[in-house]
mmCIF file with all atom_site columns, all heavy atoms in Angstrom:
data_model
loop_
_atom_site.group_PDB
_atom_site.id
_atom_site.type_symbol
_atom_site.label_atom_id
_atom_site.label_alt_id
_atom_site.label_comp_id
_atom_site.label_asym_id
_atom_site.label_entity_id
_atom_site.label_seq_id
_atom_site.pdbx_PDB_ins_code
_atom_site.Cartn_x
_atom_site.Cartn_y
_atom_site.Cartn_z
_atom_site.occupancy
_atom_site.B_iso_or_equiv
_atom_site.pdbx_formal_charge
_atom_site.auth_seq_id
_atom_site.auth_comp_id
_atom_site.auth_asym_id
_atom_site.auth_atom_id
_atom_site.pdbx_PDB_model_num
ATOM 1  N N   . LEU N 1 87 ? -46.267 8.782  -24.538 1.00 96.00 ? 213 LEU N N   1
ATOM 2  C CA  . LEU N 1 87 ? -46.548 8.345  -23.181 1.00 96.00 ? 213 LEU N CA  1
ATOM 3  C C   . LEU N 1 87 ? -46.227 9.451  -22.186 1.00 96.00 ? 213 LEU N C   1
ATOM 4  O O   . LEU N 1 87 ? -45.136 10.017 -22.208 1.00 96.00 ? 213 LEU N O   1
ATOM 5  C CB  . LEU N 1 87 ? -45.705 7.112  -22.836 1.00 96.00 ? 213 LEU N CB  1
ATOM 6  C CG  . LEU N 1 87 ? -45.762 5.933  -23.800 1.00 96.00 ? 213 LEU N CG  1
ATOM 7  C CD1 . LEU N 1 87 ? -44.792 4.847  -23.369 1.00 96.00 ? 213 LEU N CD1 1
ATOM 8  C CD2 . LEU N 1 87 ? -47.165 5.367  -23.869 1.00 96.00 ? 213 LEU N CD2 1
ATOM 9  N N   . CYS N 1 88 ? -47.176 9.710  -21.320 1.00 96.00 ? 214 CYS N N   1
ATOM 10 C CA  . CYS N 1 88 ? -46.995 10.656 -20.213 1.00 96.00 ? 214 CYS N CA  1
ATOM 11 C C   . CYS N 1 88 ? -46.728 9.816  -18.963 1.00 96.00 ? 214 CYS N C   1
ATOM 12 O O   . CYS N 1 88 ? -47.423 8.811  -18.733 1.00 96.00 ? 214 CYS N O   1
ATOM 13 C CB  . CYS N 1 88 ? -48.256 11.480 -20.052 1.00 96.00 ? 214 CYS N CB  1
ATOM 14 S SG  . CYS N 1 88 ? -48.298 12.577 -18.624 1.00 96.00 ? 214 CYS N SG  1
ATOM 15 N N   . ALA N 1 89 ? -45.737 10.185 -18.173 1.00 94.00 ? 215 ALA N N   1
ATOM 16 C CA  . ALA N 1 89 ? -45.407 9.432  -16.962 1.00 94.00 ? 215 ALA N CA  1
ATOM 17 C C   . ALA N 1 89 ? -45.126 10.408 -15.829 1.00 94.00 ? 215 ALA N C   1
ATOM 18 O O   . ALA N 1 89 ? -44.473 11.434 -16.036 1.00 94.00 ? 215 ALA N O   1
ATOM 19 C CB  . ALA N 1 89 ? -44.200 8.531  -17.198 1.00 94.00 ? 215 ALA N CB  1
ATOM 20 N N   . VAL N 1 90 ? -45.611 10.088 -14.651 1.00 94.00 ? 216 VAL N N   1
ATOM 21 C CA  . VAL N 1 90 ? -45.514 10.985 -13.502 1.00 94.00 ? 216 VAL N CA  1
ATOM 22 C C   . VAL N 1 90 ? -44.798 10.304 -12.347 1.00 94.00 ? 216 VAL N C   1
ATOM 23 O O   . VAL N 1 90 ? -45.050 9.128  -12.049 1.00 94.00 ? 216 VAL N O   1
ATOM 24 C CB  . VAL N 1 90 ? -46.926 11.423 -13.044 1.00 94.00 ? 216 VAL N CB  1
ATOM 25 C CG1 . VAL N 1 90 ? -46.853 12.248 -11.768 1.00 94.00 ? 216 VAL N CG1 1
ATOM 26 C CG2 . VAL N 1 90 ? -47.610 12.203 -14.145 1.00 94.00 ? 216 VAL N CG2 1
ATOM 27 N N   . LYS N 1 91 ? -43.908 11.057 -11.708 1.00 89.00 ? 217 LYS N N   1
ATOM 28 C CA  . LYS N 1 91 ? -43.303 10.602 -10.458 1.00 89.00 ? 217 LYS N CA  1
ATOM 29 C C   . LYS N 1 91 ? -43.996 11.323 -9.316  1.00 89.00 ? 217 LYS N C   1
ATOM 30 O O   . LYS N 1 91 ? -44.107 12.551 -9.324  1.00 89.00 ? 217 LYS N O   1
ATOM 31 C CB  . LYS N 1 91 ? -41.817 10.929 -10.409 1.00 89.00 ? 217 LYS N CB  1
ATOM 32 C CG  . LYS N 1 91 ? -40.960 10.069 -11.308 1.00 89.00 ? 217 LYS N CG  1
ATOM 33 C CD  . LYS N 1 91 ? -39.507 10.083 -10.883 1.00 89.00 ? 217 LYS N CD  1
ATOM 34 C CE  . LYS N 1 91 ? -38.913 11.464 -10.952 1.00 89.00 ? 217 LYS N CE  1
ATOM 35 N NZ  . LYS N 1 91 ? -37.470 11.447 -10.597 1.00 89.00 ? 217 LYS N NZ  1
ATOM 36 N N   . GLY N 1 92 ? -44.462 10.560 -8.323  1.00 85.00 ? 218 GLY N N   1
ATOM 37 C CA  . GLY N 1 92 ? -45.105 11.198 -7.195  1.00 85.00 ? 218 GLY N CA  1
ATOM 38 C C   . GLY N 1 92 ? -45.551 10.168 -6.187  1.00 85.00 ? 218 GLY N C   1
ATOM 39 O O   . GLY N 1 92 ? -45.184 8.989  -6.292  1.00 85.00 ? 218 GLY N O   1
ATOM 40 N N   . GLY N 1 93 ? -46.357 10.606 -5.229  1.00 77.00 ? 219 GLY N N   1
ATOM 41 C CA  . GLY N 1 93 ? -46.869 9.684  -4.227  1.00 77.00 ? 219 GLY N CA  1
ATOM 42 C C   . GLY N 1 93 ? -45.792 9.076  -3.369  1.00 77.00 ? 219 GLY N C   1
ATOM 43 O O   . GLY N 1 93 ? -45.938 7.967  -2.859  1.00 77.00 ? 219 GLY N O   1
ATOM 44 N N   . GLY N 1 94 ? -44.686 9.790  -3.217  1.00 76.00 ? 220 GLY N N   1
ATOM 45 C CA  . GLY N 1 94 ? -43.610 9.284  -2.382  1.00 76.00 ? 220 GLY N CA  1
ATOM 46 C C   . GLY N 1 94 ? -42.706 8.286  -3.074  1.00 76.00 ? 220 GLY N C   1
ATOM 47 O O   . GLY N 1 94 ? -41.776 7.745  -2.465  1.00 76.00 ? 220 GLY N O   1
ATOM 48 N N   . SER N 1 95 ? -42.961 8.021  -4.346  1.00 77.00 ? 221 SER N N   1
ATOM 49 C CA  . SER N 1 95 ? -42.140 7.063  -5.082  1.00 77.00 ? 221 SER N CA  1
ATOM 50 C C   . SER N 1 95 ? -41.332 7.773  -6.154  1.00 77.00 ? 221 SER N C   1
ATOM 51 O O   . SER N 1 95 ? -41.801 8.713  -6.772  1.00 77.00 ? 221 SER N O   1
ATOM 52 C CB  . SER N 1 95 ? -43.031 6.008  -5.740  1.00 77.00 ? 221 SER N CB  1
ATOM 53 O OG  . SER N 1 95 ? -42.268 5.190  -6.608  1.00 77.00 ? 221 SER N OG  1
ATOM 54 N N   . TYR N 1 96 ? -40.130 7.313  -6.384  1.00 78.00 ? 222 TYR N N   1
ATOM 55 C CA  . TYR N 1 96 ? -39.319 7.887  -7.453  1.00 78.00 ? 222 TYR N CA  1
ATOM 56 C C   . TYR N 1 96 ? -39.538 7.140  -8.764  1.00 78.00 ? 222 TYR N C   1
ATOM 57 O O   . TYR N 1 96 ? -38.930 7.461  -9.773  1.00 78.00 ? 222 TYR N O   1
ATOM 58 C CB  . TYR N 1 96 ? -37.838 7.829  -7.068  1.00 78.00 ? 222 TYR N CB  1
ATOM 59 C CG  . TYR N 1 96 ? -37.313 6.434  -6.923  1.00 78.00 ? 222 TYR N CG  1
ATOM 60 C CD1 . TYR N 1 96 ? -36.744 5.764  -8.006  1.00 78.00 ? 222 TYR N CD1 1
ATOM 61 C CD2 . TYR N 1 96 ? -37.407 5.760  -5.720  1.00 78.00 ? 222 TYR N CD2 1
ATOM 62 C CE1 . TYR N 1 96 ? -36.280 4.474  -7.891  1.00 78.00 ? 222 TYR N CE1 1
ATOM 63 C CE2 . TYR N 1 96 ? -36.951 4.469  -5.602  1.00 78.00 ? 222 TYR N CE2 1
ATOM 64 C CZ  . TYR N 1 96 ? -36.382 3.830  -6.684  1.00 78.00 ? 222 TYR N CZ  1
ATOM 65 O OH  . TYR N 1 96 ? -35.936 2.542  -6.569  1.00 78.00 ? 222 TYR N OH  1
ATOM 66 N N   . ILE N 1 97 ? -40.416 6.141  -8.738  1.00 85.00 ? 223 ILE N N   1
ATOM 67 C CA  . ILE N 1 97 ? -40.655 5.344  -9.933  1.00 85.00 ? 223 ILE N CA  1
ATOM 68 C C   . ILE N 1 97 ? -41.763 5.978  -10.754 1.00 85.00 ? 223 ILE N C   1
ATOM 69 O O   . ILE N 1 97 ? -42.853 6.221  -10.241 1.00 85.00 ? 223 ILE N O   1
ATOM 70 C CB  . ILE N 1 97 ? -41.069 3.914  -9.548  1.00 85.00 ? 223 ILE N CB  1
ATOM 71 C CG1 . ILE N 1 97 ? -39.995 3.279  -8.673  1.00 85.00 ? 223 ILE N CG1 1
ATOM 72 C CG2 . ILE N 1 97 ? -41.313 3.080  -10.803 1.00 85.00 ? 223 ILE N CG2 1
ATOM 73 C CD1 . ILE N 1 97 ? -40.426 1.967  -8.072  1.00 85.00 ? 223 ILE N CD1 1
ATOM 74 N N   . PRO N 1 98 ? -41.531 6.254  -12.039 1.00 88.00 ? 224 PRO N N   1
ATOM 75 C CA  . PRO N 1 98 ? -42.579 6.872  -12.859 1.00 88.00 ? 224 PRO N CA  1
ATOM 76 C C   . PRO N 1 98 ? -43.751 5.921  -13.088 1.00 88.00 ? 224 PRO N C   1
ATOM 77 O O   . PRO N 1 98 ? -43.558 4.739  -13.338 1.00 88.00 ? 224 PRO N O   1
ATOM 78 C CB  . PRO N 1 98 ? -41.858 7.166  -14.178 1.00 88.00 ? 224 PRO N CB  1
ATOM 79 C CG  . PRO N 1 98 ? -40.409 7.075  -13.888 1.00 88.00 ? 224 PRO N CG  1
ATOM 80 C CD  . PRO N 1 98 ? -40.272 6.101  -12.772 1.00 88.00 ? 224 PRO N CD  1
#
Side-chain angles (χ1 to χ4, degrees):
Chain N
L213 308 176
C214 174
V216 175
K217 287 200 299 183
S221 172
Y222 64 91
I223 303 171

